[in-house]
Amino acid sequence: MAAWTPPGLRRAARLADGWIADPVQSLQIIKGFAQRYCDEAGKLGRRPFICLMRDAVIAESMAEAEVQSGPTMVTPSLLLQLWSVRPG
């Protein structure tokens, strides 16, 4: 289960077979989230399992990587903008 808030991390520890880490946060943030998740899983007598996601583009140069990834990569800030203007 993916989760990026304290209540979500507790929910993942309680209900899921594992936690899927945020693919865009810094290692420092992910380490804090992972500790919260593991602590909560331990309190519940559950064995924690963490899946760390990261995006990667392999190319001969940065310019080539940008060209190859441009059509498929969406920045988190753009996603947040899109989600915040959704009706409902």
Side-chain angles (χ1 to χ4, degrees), residues 30-51:
I30 294 298
K31 285 171 72 174
F33 286 172
Q35 189 63 57
R36 285 182 179 199
Y37 164 73
C38 289
D39 289 348
E40 188 67 23
K43 288 179 197 174
L44 299 168
R46 300 194 66 185
R47 183 174 179 212
F49 180 85
I50 299 172
C51 174

Side-chain angles (χ1 to χ4, degrees), residues 6 15-17 19 25 29 33 35 37 39 44-46 48-49 56-57 60-61 64-66 68-69 71 75 79 83:
L15 301 174
D17 292 329
W19 170 60
Q25 295 295 334
I29 297 292
F33 286 172
Q35 189 63 57
Y37 164 73
D39 289 348
L44 299 168
R46 300 194 66 185
F49 180 85
V57 177
E60 294 294 323
S61 68
E64 184 181 338
E66 290 171 351
Q68 289 180 15
S69 66
T75 64
L79 284 175
W83 290 334

